[in-house]
Amino acid sequence: GAAPRAAASYKLQPPRGLVNLGNTCFLNAAIQALGHCTPLTAYMLQGLFVLDLNEANALGTGCVLTLVFASLLHELFALRPEGAGGAGDSSPFPPFDFMLSLAQFHPFLATGEMHDAQELLAWLLDALNEDLNRAQRPGKASTGGLLGPPVGLGPVVT
């Protein structure tokens, strides 16, 4: 038979910047702060977060914000095969989809005014936490939503 191929090795490219969409410096600061939190970014870019999605959590965004945030991180942080030439896309990225999704759940963004980056960051972390929180309220069984029953918990008994 054929010899097994070695696993490809990838290198994380330097991050892209963000385009300021009016008075969105506070938004860009919060995105970049989270993007430079290595454990969170690795968790999102590797797709590990998918195992924790909980769209049934009434306190979350139905996972919309988390999925759009993951997509944004993929725009900002490119993986390229080790040894590949070229610099990839280094132009600033306009975070329109992320901003529109944020405004859907937190309408203060739709005003076009400047806001406090720390307040947005606190709200955003809370929203991501709720979207990725698999904990159930006492007496509630999870059907698992998008992915079926949670792994390792066996069949859901109601």
Side-chain angles (χ1 to χ4, degrees), residues 66-156:
T66 298
L67 293 170
V68 174
F69 180 65
S71 178
L72 175 61
L73 288 178
H74 279 282
E75 289 291 342
L76 299 180
F77 297 92
L79 288 174
R80 199 174 61 213
E82 193 77 54
D89 190 357
S90 61
S91 63
F93 181 77
F96 288 114
D97 290 342
F98 186 72
M99 189 174 86
L100 291 174
S101 293
L102 263 176
Q104 176 184 349
F105 298 103
H106 209 316
F108 79 92
L109 279 176
T111 65
E113 298 171 10
M114 288 200 303
H115 298 280
D116 185 64
Q118 188 278 329
E119 288 177 13
L120 173 64
L121 190 55
W123 182 87
L124 182 54
L125 283 170
D126 185 56
L128 292 172
N129 176 59
E130 295 300 343
D131 281 355
L132 297 167
N133 186 344
R134 292 188 292 156
Q136 298 297 310
R137 292 185 191 149
K140 297 282 186 179
S142 173
T143 59
L146 291 173
L147 302 173
V151 176
L153 296 181
V156 175

Side-chain angles (χ1 to χ4, degrees), residues 4 16 35 45-46 59 78 119 123 130:
R16 294 170 68 180
L45 290 177
Q46 293 171 14
L59 300 175
E119 288 177 13
W123 182 87
E130 295 300 343

